[in-house]
Amino acid sequence: MTDPLTPVLTANWADERAWKLSNYERRGGYDALRSALQMDPAEVVTLVKDSGLRGRGGAGFPTGMKWSFIPQDNPKPKYLVVNADESEPGTCKDIPLMMASPHTLVEGVIISAYAIRANHAFIYVRGEVLHVVRRLQQAVREAYSAGYAGHNILGTGYDLEVIVHAGAGAYICGEETALLDSLEGRRGQPRLRPPFPAIAGLYASPTVINNVESISSVPSIVANGADWFSSMGTEKSKGMTIYSLSGHVANPGQFEAPLGITLRQLLDLAGGIREGHQLKFWTPGGSSTPMLTDAHLDVPLDYEAIASVKSMLGTKALQCFDETTSVVRTVLRWTEFYKHESCGKCTPCREGTWWLVQILKRMEAGRGQHGDIEKLLDLCDNILGRSFCALGDGATSPITSAIQYFRDEFEAAMHTPAWEMFPYERSTIFVREPAGA
Amino acid sequence: MSDLIEPLPSSPNGHAGGDVASEELVGHGHFVTHFDEPSLDYGVTETKITETTLEEMRSIAARYPQARSALLPMLHLVQSIEGRVTPAGIEACAEILGLTAADVSGVATFYTMYKRRPVGEYHVGVCTTALCAIMGGDEVYAKLQDHLGIGNDETTADGKITLEHVECNAACDFAPVIMVNWEFFDNTTPEKAIELVDQLRAGVEVQSTRGARVCTWKEAERVLAGFPDERADEGPTAAGPSLLGLRIASEHGWRAPDPEHATDRPDEGDR
C-alpha cells in the first residue's frame, strides 16, 4: 500500500535555496539526464509510455504516446514546447513548482527533448509571474554553464537550445495551438486540427507540447523506473500528482499524492472546511470542469472516476466553497472570466459568453426573468462543441453543472439578489461576523 | 431585447469583474465593450527608444529559429523603455521583424499585459476571478479604488500606482491575492492592501510575500523581455500553503515508494 502522500516533485520545496543548481544536484539532480543520454531516444519514449504518465495539464493524454506521434522521418526540425501558461482558475501547482525547483523542469525538458530528437525547446511561461520567470531564466543559465544544455551536452554530441519565453497575459495561450501561434509572435488564437502539432506544430514542424508537471515528472521516471511510477495511482491513472486545495478550507495548499486519493481524504489532511462551515460545491480540476457537491467527497480523484460523475479531473485544482457562497455569483464571475478571455475567433464563444454574462448579471441582482434558466442552458448548448478549442466548452461547465445541482438558487434569482441570500462579507477570509450570524 | 440592457443595481461589495467600467450604457441599446477600446494613440510621437534599444531588439530576435517569435519579448522591451506600447515602439518592432505596423499593432492589442496608456511606477493588480473575489478580492479592490480615488486601469496623479483588476494569477491557495508589478502579495485584506499602496507611494521598499523586493514596472518588463536582473535569489524557496502537504507527509513519515520494491505492485486494484 502506498502512503497517502508521496512527495516527489515537491520533495525539495522546503530545502534552503532549492532553486540553485548545486542544491538540486546534491539531491541527485541531473543524474537522470546522464542515464537518459546513455539510452537510445526511442528507449526513453518507451520508458515514459510504460510508466503510464498522462498529461497533467488537464486533458490527461498519455505523454509517451504523444511523443511517439512525432514522425522521425520528417526532415523538419522537431520542437519541444512546455506549456507553463498556468491560468485555469483554481490551478496553482506549476507556479510554485517552477519557483521552488526550476531545475526539475529544466532537467525534464532536456530529457524529453532528447527523447523526441528536438534541438530547440521552449518554456512558454505566463508573463504575470515575474519571480518565476527570473528563477527559470537563472536555472537555464546554470544548466548551460554546467554543460547540461547548449552544444554537445555532457560530451554526447547532443545539442539543445532552451529558451524561456514570457507570455503577455492571455488565458487562451494555455490552449496548445493558441500557444503555438503566440510563440510564433501572433495573436494567441487556436488553430483548426488536424493537422495536430505532432505533425505541424511550431513553424509547421513536428512539435510536442506538454504541461510543466508532466515534463517535471520525467526525471523521476528515468531515475526510478516505469514500474516505480506505475506502482502509485490507480489502474489507468498512474503515478503521483499535485493536488491544489483552495477556497474555504481550514488550511489550503498543495498535496502531492498518488492519483485516486479522494477529496474527503485531502480535506481531512487540510483540517476540513473552515471552522463552523460545510462544503457546498467544489471543482475537481479548475473552473472548466463541472462542479461537484458533498455527495462526491468519496469519488477517487483520477481521470476515470471523475469522468464517471460527469466531470473532469482537469488540473486537479480543488476549489472548495462553503454554504456562505452564492452559486449564481460564483458562476457569474467564472463566466465573466471566459468572456474576458475568449479570443474572439469563434462566434459561439465570443458572442455566447457575452450573452451569458448579461443574463447572469441580472440574476445576481435578483432580476432574473421567466425563462432565463432555459435560456442559459440553450446558450450553453449552442456553445458546447461549436468552437475551435475547449475555452467555449469550459465556459459552459460551471453553468450547466450549477443549474443541475442548485437549480433552486437560479429560481430564487428571479426575485432575490444573491447578496441578500448570501451576504458577501460572510464568504471572505476577513469576515468579522460570527459564523452562522 | 430592451429588458436585457436594463441597468442593474450594483452589488454592495463593488462588483469588480469583467469590464464593468467599459460596459456602461451609451445612448440607447449600445454597449461599449473591450472591442471598442481605442487602439494606440498615434498622436504620440515622442520616444525614448535609442540605437541601444534597437540593438537589444535584434538580440532578442536572434534567440529564435524564426525572428517573429521575438515579438512578444520585444513588446515587453518597448514597455520597459516607454512605459507603454507606443507607435514608435510598434514601428521599431515592425521594421526589425519585417512586419507591417498593423501586424504588430494587432498583436500588441491582443494581450492584456501590453498597455496603451502610460502605466505608473507600480502596477497593482487585484485578482477578482471567482475564488479570490469571493474570498475578499472584491472588497480589497473596492477599498483600493476608494483609497486611491481611481477607477480600473487608471493611474494616480503622482504617477505611482496603476490599479487594475486582474484574472486568476495561479495563487488560489493564497487567496485573496494582489500582484504588484507581477510579484505575489498573498492572503491580503483591505487593510493590508491599503498599507501596501501607501508604502509604495511613499517610496518605501517592499518585498513580495514569497518573491523579491519589488522593482519598478519598467524594470519588471525588462526581465520579461529576457534581460535578467539580479533578484532571482531573493525570497524563499516556497511558502505556507505550498509546503503544507510536504510538511504533513514528513510528520507522518510518508514518502513515495522505494524504487527497489516498486515491482511488488502491492496496491494493484486497490481502488
Side-chain angles (χ1 to χ4, degrees):
Chain A
M1 182 70 200
T2 21
D3 288 339
L5 296 179
T6 50
V8 176
L9 303 173
T10 58
N12 62 341
W13 289 11
D15 292 5
E16 193 74 18
R17 293 161 73 88
W19 65 87
K20 300 296 278 186
L21 176 64
S22 52
N23 294 328
Y24 183 67
E25 286 176 321
R26 198 164 297 133
R27 275 186 171 261
Y30 288 99
D31 288 352
L33 174 63
R34 289 173 203 278
S35 310
L37 292 174
Q38 300 301 313
M39 300 163 68
D40 185 77
E43 286 180 81
V44 181
V45 175
T46 304
L47 177 68
V48 171
K49 238 186 203 174
D50 291 347
S51 75
L53 173 65
R54 295 170 65 172
R56 302 295 196 229
F61 193 82
T63 305
M65 197 184 294
K66 208 178 209 185
W67 293 3
S68 68
F69 290 157
I70 294 292
Q72 289 300 337
D73 54 353
N74 187 321
K76 289 186 171 176
K78 322 300 184 271
Y79 294 105
L80 175 71
V81 178
V82 177
N83 185 345
D85 193 48
E86 181 168 68
S87 34
E88 165 78 11
T91 310
C92 49
K93 63 191 175 67
D94 296 338
I95 295 301
L97 191 158
M98 293 185 285
M99 185 111 87
S101 188
H103 281 290
T104 308
L105 174 62
V106 173
E107 184 179 12
V109 165
I110 302 165
I111 296 171
S112 308
Y114 173 76
I116 62 163
R117 298 177 164 91
N119 297 114
H120 271 97
F122 298 87
I123 301 172
Y124 185 107
V125 57
R126 68 182 297 182
E128 303 100 320
V129 285
L130 178 62
H131 209 50
V132 173
V133 174
R134 286 194 185 105
R135 294 250 167 108
L136 283 173
Q137 287 171 338
Q138 176 171 277
V140 168
R141 275 202 311 280
E142 286 183 318
Y144 270 88
S145 305
Y148 298 137
H151 181 61
N152 191 19
I153 294 172
L154 297 176
T156 58
Y158 174 58
D159 301 335
L160 178 69
E161 298 294 334
V162 182
I163 297 162
V164 177
H165 183 95
Y171 166 68
I172 188 63
C173 293
E175 197 282 330
E176 61 180 20
T177 62
L179 187 154
L180 292 176
D181 260 35
S182 179
L183 185 52
E184 289 182 1
R186 300 168 198 279
R187 294 165 78 92
Q189 295 190 313
R191 301 174 179 176
L192 187 64
R193 286 169 294 188
F196 287 91
I199 309 300
L202 187 66
Y203 313 133
S205 299
T207 304
V208 162
I209 307 161
N210 282 137
N211 167 259
V212 168
E213 190 189 342
S214 314
I215 292 290
S216 299
S217 301
V218 169
S220 68
I221 292 169
V222 171
N224 301 316
D227 287 344
W228 166 83
F229 188 80
S230 60
S231 75
M232 292 177 273
T234 59
E235 193 187 340
K236 289 181 178 164
S237 300
K238 306 286 194 194
M240 73 291 165
T241 194
I242 304 173
Y243 292 94
S244 310
L245 209 52
S246 64
H248 293 132
V249 177
N251 302 300
Q254 308 294 325
F255 297 84
E256 191 173 3
L259 278 161
I261 195 168
T262 64
L263 181 60
R264 188 186 300 282
Q265 289 171 293
L266 285 168
L267 279 174
D268 281 348
L269 297 172
I273 295 296
R274 62 180 179 159
E275 201 182 341
H277 296 276
Q278 307 86 44
L279 178 65
K280 182 174 175 181
F281 61 98
W282 56 288
T283 65
S287 57
S288 303
T289 61
M291 66 173 63
L292 298 172
T293 68
D294 59 358
H296 305 100
L297 277 166
D298 296 309
V299 179
L301 295 166
D302 64 37
Y303 299 101
E304 291 70 31
I306 292 295
S308 76
V309 292
K310 304 275 186 288
S311 189
M312 291 175 286
L313 187 63
T315 52
K316 306 145 288 140
L318 307 155
Q319 306 175 86
C320 300
F321 298 90
D322 69 18
E323 84 293 345
T324 66
T325 315
S326 158
V327 171
V328 172
R329 177 194 186 199
T330 313
V331 169
L332 165 63
R333 303 307 287 270
W334 277 327
T335 308
E336 288 185 321
F337 170 84
Y338 292 106
K339 174 193 162 222
H340 183 260
E341 299 300 333
S342 174
C343 78
K345 181 164 185 159
C346 309
T347 309
C349 171
R350 180 187 66 240
E351 304 296 322
T353 52
W354 197 90
W355 283 105
L356 290 170
V357 165
Q358 300 309 308
I359 296 171
L360 285 165
K361 259 188 181 167
R362 71 182 178 203
M363 293 184 103
E364 185 199 29
R367 296 206 192 172
Q369 295 173 4
H370 182 70
D372 270 358
I373 297 177
E374 290 68 30
K375 198 172 283 174
L376 285 175
L377 292 172
D378 187 45
L379 279 163
C380 288
D381 191 44
N382 277 294
I383 296 170
L384 184 70
R386 291 189 162 87
S387 299
F388 268 42
C389 82
L391 190 148
D393 299 350
T396 70
S397 293
I399 297 172
T400 50
S401 58
I403 293 174
Q404 179 188 346
Y405 294 117
F406 300 100
R407 193 178 179 104
D408 52 334
E409 273 186 46
F410 288 84
E411 302 280 1
M414 307 298 163
H415 46 74
T416 312
W419 53 81
E420 282 179 17
M421 290 203 291
F422 301 93
Y424 290 173
E425 200 215 20
R426 294 185 55 211
S427 301
T428 66
I429 59 163
F430 36 79
V431 58
R432 290 158 201 98
E433 292 170 67
Chain B
M1 184 78 184
S2 62
D3 43 54
L4 265 180
I5 52 175
E6 177 189 2
L8 298 172
S10 59
S11 69
N13 275 356
H15 180 140
D19 296 303
V20 176
S22 60
E23 272 171 19
E24 297 306 316
L25 285 172
V26 177
H28 293 284
H30 178 67
F31 283 99
V32 176
T33 76
H34 59 281
F35 295 113
D36 300 318
E37 274 176 28
S39 186
L40 295 172
D41 182 356
Y42 284 94
V44 177
T45 50
E46 62 190 65
T47 177
K48 297 192 180 78
I49 291 174
T50 63
E51 187 50 43
T52 313
T53 318
L54 299 178
E55 269 311 306
E56 287 180 338
M57 284 184 172
R58 288 186 201 104
S59 78
I60 298 172
R63 289 178 204 153
Y64 294 88
Q66 294 190 14
R68 182 168 178 164
S69 285
L71 184 50
L72 266 60
M74 283 165 73
L75 286 166
H76 281 305
L77 187 70
V78 167
Q79 298 205 119
S80 78
I81 305 284
E82 304 270 68
R84 63 169 144 168
V85 175
T86 54
I90 298 270
E91 294 288 347
C93 292
E95 184 164 336
I96 287 170
L97 298 177
L99 302 171
T100 64
D103 282 337
V104 177
S105 192
V107 172
T109 51
F110 183 83
Y111 298 92
T112 53
M113 289 178 78
Y114 297 134
K115 301 299 184 192
R116 304 169 214 183
R117 289 189 289 272
V119 173
E121 205 170 324
Y122 301 101
H123 176 271
V124 175
V126 182
C127 178
T128 58
T129 308
L131 189 134
C132 268
I134 287 163
M135 305 284 284
D138 271 359
E139 199 175 323
V140 169
Y141 179 71
K143 293 276 162 61
L144 279 180
Q145 276 193 318
D146 285 350
H147 184 72
L148 296 169
I150 53 177
N152 188 49
D153 208 14
E154 292 178 1
T155 303
T156 51
D158 59 6
K160 287 282 186 188
I161 309 273
T162 298
L163 182 65
E164 190 179 17
H165 60 78
V166 298
E167 300 295 357
C168 186
N169 225 93
C172 314
D173 47 346
F174 293 91
V177 168
I178 289 183
M179 308 299 295
V180 178
N181 294 345
W182 308 118
E183 295 268 13
F184 291 106
F185 286 81
D186 301 317
N187 299 120
T188 193
T189 63
E191 294 75 27
K192 282 194 217 173
I194 285 169
E195 190 189 344
L196 174 64
V197 294
D198 284 349
Q199 286 178 330
L200 292 169
R201 294 185 87 178
V204 178
E205 186 169 81
V206 298
Q207 177 145 11
S208 158
T209 48
R210 57 189 157 113
R213 288 169 298 130
V214 171
C215 61
T216 66
W217 185 78
K218 286 183 181 176
E219 287 165 348
E221 282 293 314
R222 186 170 171 82
V223 175
L224 298 179
F227 297 96
D229 58 14
E230 298 301 314
R231 300 189 185 202
D233 289 334
E234 295 183 14
T237 301
S242 305
L243 295 168
L244 181 61
L246 182 62
R247 191 166 55 73
I248 293 171
S250 104
E251 281 166 12
H252 289 81
W254 293 337
R255 60 174 76 92
D258 183 345
E260 300 301 312
H261 303 102
T263 44
D264 295 350
R265 303 300 318 268
D267 59 341
E268 182 74 44
D270 188 49
R271 191 169 113 208

